[in-house]
């Protein structure tokens, strides 16, 4: 059973989607204040890793720990939680969408974790830079969300056979969230009681030995750009590898290693069609949730995923929600190629599809999933790294993210768990009485 209260994020109405204007501002107008003496962790990035880090810190950290999260986007999203929603619009058939429930997952289509206890010889084993205990904890986390009615396991045969989908005879299990994967991130952050600052980009992180970490950045708001500065006892940088090297000065061998991590790139095109297309779309998918178009060829369009399958919204009048994914390395500028591919798939003219198109959005994932992960690099960093997160030597700055192990929920969970262990060890070394910090921000662009 799905409980209504699970959908209540009244604390976050200003944080989900849209611009920051007309919503609660992401930054205080001006402030220059002595902060309390409580210990503080600043998390940069509210993607899956950052949201998990915040949540695990709240669960495992000391009482009263301050958790602040800076996210440059307008809602907690990243590659896992990116969502696009259909706005209220009149439909061609005279009906009207109220905008609710009409979302698509624009990044990850499913939550993937290793099924511990499945009988597969590698299920729950240590390897690929993750420990058996973290893999097991991840599986318990997923099972907890299933028990709460947040996740539903996807029958594997409903998912397309693609080169990046991890189908290894029962090793992985894949799940949907009937409100979209972004819902899980909002929930993680909500439960963490973290101070979430949206539209805030971290630009430089510095640490002076014996002192605190200072993070500088900029905030986008209704009144224009403003500079931000915050101090924290520990900073966890939960951003992709190319972003991490931009904001923190790393020892050369660490920077070189991280720069060697490579990701593929793809485009996702969200397509909303008038409900009259429900029948032909259902016929084309034949009970599947994904159709792979280029498995044996090099077409521009790779995969089409049917979002209505995730929340079973097949009722008369339900808008048809599709996401068309490009082939690796292909960048689509608009909905044109997606409509052409759908025209072939559905056996309908592209002109008719264009006529029935209600809304669309293109997201170009320049950083998508890893094709050259950390473990494939030849580096002496392995000697320093026993876990999928790295504490920058001599500082309480911790690098976390899927790039240390795996582009998946499992990879992010294991990295977040490791980062939290390192953060808590660092906080124990630095008792609260010794910390004194200032938080400043100004709207005139100068600190
Ligand atoms: C197309 C696609 C398909 C996928 N399929 C699956 C799948 O089937 N199953 C699965 O489990 N996983 C899948 N994944 C992988 C999964 O989504 C990623 O592993 C995961 O989202 C990585 O999370 P992250 O938090 O480490 O990084 P990100 O999601 O990239 O989050 C980083 C966040 O940091 C923010 N940020 C960056 N720089 C700054 C800065 N300077 N200041 C402030 N904020 C900053 C970004 O805006 C972003 O929100 C897929 C991903 C993609 C893109």
């Amino acid at each position: 059973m799905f409980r209504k209260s699970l959908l209540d994020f009244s604390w976050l109405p200003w944080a989900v989607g849209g611009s920051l204007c007309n919503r609660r501002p992401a930054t205080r107008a001006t402030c220059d204040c002595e902060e309390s003496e409580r210990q503080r962790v600043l998390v940069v990035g509210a993607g899956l890793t950052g949201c998990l880090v915040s949540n695990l810190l709240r669960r495992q950290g000391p009482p009263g720990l301050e958790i602040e999260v800076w996210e440059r986007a307008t809602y907690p999203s990243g590659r896992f939680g990116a969502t696009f929603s259909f706005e209220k619009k009149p439909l061609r058939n005279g009906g009207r969408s109220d905008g609710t429930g009409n979302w698509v997952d624009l990044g990850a289509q499913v939550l993937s974790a290793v099924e511990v206890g499945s009988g597969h010889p590698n299920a729950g084993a240590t390897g690929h830079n993750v420990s058996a205990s973290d893999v097991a904890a991840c599986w318990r986390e997923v099972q907890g969300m299933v028990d709460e009615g947040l996740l539903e396991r996807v029958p594997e045969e409903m998912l397309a056979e693609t080169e990046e989908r991890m189908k290894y005879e029962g090793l992985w299990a894949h799940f949907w969230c009937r409100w979209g994967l972004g819902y899980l991130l909002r929930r993680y952050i909500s439960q963490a009681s973290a101070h979430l600052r949206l539209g805030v980009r971290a630009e430089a992180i510095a640490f002076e030995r014996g002192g605190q970490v200072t993070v500088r950045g900029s905030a986008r708001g209704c009144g224009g750009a403003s500079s931000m500065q915050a101090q924290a006892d520990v900073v966890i940088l939960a951003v992709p590898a190319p972003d991490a090297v931009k904001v923190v000065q790393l020892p050369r061998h660490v920077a070189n290693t991280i720069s060697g991590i490579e990701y593929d790139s793809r485009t996702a095109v969200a397509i909303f069609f008038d409900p009259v297309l429900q029948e032909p779309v259902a016929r084309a998918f034949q009970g599947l949730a994904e159709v792979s178009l280029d498995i044996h060829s090099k077409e521009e369009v790779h995969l089409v995923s049917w979002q209505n399958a995730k929340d079973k919204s097949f009722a008369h009048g339900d808008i048809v929600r599709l996401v068309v994914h490009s082939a690796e390395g292909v960048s689509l500028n608009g909905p044109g190629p997606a409509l052409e591919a759908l025209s072939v798939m559905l056996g309908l003219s592209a002109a008719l599809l264009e006529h029935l198109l209600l809304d669309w959005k293109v997201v170009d994932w320049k950083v998508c999933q890893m094709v050259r992960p950390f473990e494939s690099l030849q580096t002496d960093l392995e000697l320093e790294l026993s876990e999928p997160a790295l504490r920058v030597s001599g500082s309480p700055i911790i690098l976390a993210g899927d790039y240390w192990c795996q582009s998946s929920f499992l990879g992010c969970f294991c990295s977040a768990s490791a980062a939290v262990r390192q953060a808590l060890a660092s906080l124990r070394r630095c008792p609260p009485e010794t910390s004194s910090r200032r938080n400043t921000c100004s709207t005139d662009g100068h600190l």
Side-chain angles (χ1 to χ4, degrees):
M1 277 296 291
F2 298 107
R3 289 181 292 277
K4 186 171 180 291
S5 61
L6 291 173
L7 286 166
D8 180 19
F9 284 111
S10 47
W11 59 275
L12 237 188
W14 48 276
V16 184
S19 84
L20 289 171
C21 295
N22 302 324
R23 295 162 195 263
R24 187 173 141 188
T27 60
R28 280 174 258 161
T30 52
C31 60
D32 185 352
C33 44
E34 277 294 341
E35 293 287 299
S36 72
E37 296 307 308
R38 288 188 294 173
Q39 288 181 300
R40 178 198 275 182
V41 178
L42 196 145
V43 180
V44 178
L48 177 56
T49 303
C51 292
L52 280 166
V53 159
S54 310
N55 195 279
L56 294 172
L57 271 173
R58 180 59 68 216
R59 286 193 240 169
Q60 298 168 15
L65 178 69
E66 284 181 22
I67 305 169
E68 179 160 328
V69 183
W70 286 14
E71 167 55 54
R72 68 183 176 193
T74 52
Y75 65 108
S77 48
R79 288 168 280 157
F80 189 81
T83 310
F84 180 55
S85 294
F86 180 70
E87 299 294 333
K88 292 180 185 179
K89 274 188 184 168
L91 301 180
R92 282 171 210 281
N93 62 7
R96 201 175 171 82
S97 158
D98 66 359
T100 53
N102 285 312
W103 50 267
V104 298
D105 287 319
L106 271 172
Q109 292 302 313
V110 287
L111 177 157
S112 308
V114 160
E115 181 177 5
V116 175
S118 68
H120 189 284
N122 293 343
T126 291
H128 303 289
N129 215 23
V130 297
S131 69
S133 58
D134 281 348
V135 175
C138 176
W139 185 243
R140 284 196 299 277
E141 177 80 9
V142 169
Q143 289 305 298
M145 290 193 280
V146 171
D147 292 345
E148 279 187 72
L150 294 169
L151 291 181
E152 183 192 350
R153 186 162 181 170
V154 188
E156 200 157 282
E157 59 278 9
M158 285 185 79
L159 299 173
E161 195 74 52
T162 71
E163 72 266 28
E164 78 279 9
R165 175 84 67 221
M166 294 164 295
K167 286 190 168 184
Y168 303 124
E169 291 156 13
L171 179 58
W172 288 84
H174 306 284
F175 299 84
W176 284 324
C177 173
R178 61 168 297 149
W179 301 291
L181 294 174
Y183 176 87
L184 303 178
L185 301 198
R186 300 196 292 278
R187 183 171 171 274
Y188 273 132
I189 282 277
S190 164
Q191 290 179 338
S193 304
H195 185 178
L196 175 62
R197 289 170 176 258
L198 296 168
V200 176
R201 177 191 295 268
E203 285 161 355
I205 300 177
F207 174 67
E208 278 172 38
R209 211 162 277 274
Q212 290 200 316
V213 190
T214 302
V215 184
R216 290 168 194 273
S218 58
R220 282 181 291 141
C222 303
S226 59
S227 302
M228 301 273 302
Q229 178 172 307
Q231 288 184 310
D233 301 288
V234 171
V235 169
I236 301 179
L237 196 50
V239 303
D243 294 306
V245 289
K246 280 187 208 149
V247 291
V248 66
Q249 183 120 34
L250 296 165
R252 185 177 300 184
H253 69 297
V254 177
N256 285 346
T257 301
I258 292 181
S259 302
I261 290 165
E262 287 174 19
Y263 302 78
D264 63 2
S265 64
R266 285 176 194 279
T267 302
V269 186
I271 299 272
F272 292 92
F273 279 131
D274 189 284
V276 296
L277 278 186
Q278 256 202 64
E279 224 178 278
V281 168
R283 232 179 294 126
F285 276 91
Q286 298 181 329
L288 305 178
E290 294 178 340
V291 170
S292 177
L293 300 180
D294 76 336
I295 194 79
H296 299 302
S297 66
K298 277 284 155 218
E299 298 295 328
E300 277 189 316
V301 169
H302 165 57
L303 181 80
V304 184
S305 45
W306 190 19
Q307 308 292 306
N308 300 65
K310 298 178 178 181
D311 57 0
K312 304 189 176 45
S313 54
F314 306 122
H316 179 73
D318 281 338
I319 287 171
V320 175
R321 293 135 50 207
L322 301 171
V323 174
V324 176
H325 309 261
S326 79
E328 186 189 332
V330 173
S331 179
L332 306 176
N333 296 324
L339 291 179
E340 275 167 38
L342 290 171
S343 152
V344 175
M345 185 181 152
L346 301 174
L348 298 169
S349 76
L352 176 65
L353 295 185
E354 205 175 329
H355 179 69
L356 295 172
L357 183 64
L358 299 174
D359 207 352
W360 57 273
K361 183 185 172 101
V362 173
V363 171
D364 213 1
W365 292 111
K366 294 284 181 224
V367 168
C368 193
Q369 286 175 284
M370 277 176 302
V371 286
R372 198 163 175 236
F374 170 72
E375 65 174 324
S376 71
L377 304 174
Q378 295 221 317
T379 168
D380 52 7
L381 199 56
E382 281 161 54
L383 301 173
E384 293 173 38
L385 197 78
S386 55
E387 298 203 293
L390 181 81
R391 187 165 73 82
V392 178
S393 111
S395 84
I397 301 170
I398 297 162
L399 308 182
D402 62 350
Y403 61 93
W404 292 117
C405 45
Q406 250 278 338
S407 277
S408 67
F409 182 85
L410 173 74
C412 294
F413 183 89
C414 292
S415 181
S417 302
V420 167
R421 280 193 290 274
Q422 293 173 10
L424 296 181
S426 199
L427 290 174
R428 280 193 291 272
R429 282 195 292 271
C430 160
E433 310 79 75
T434 61
S435 55
S436 153
R437 66 180 83 83
R438 297 175 80 77
N439 225 27
T440 57
C441 54
S442 66
T443 49
D444 61 0
H446 301 285
L447 285 167

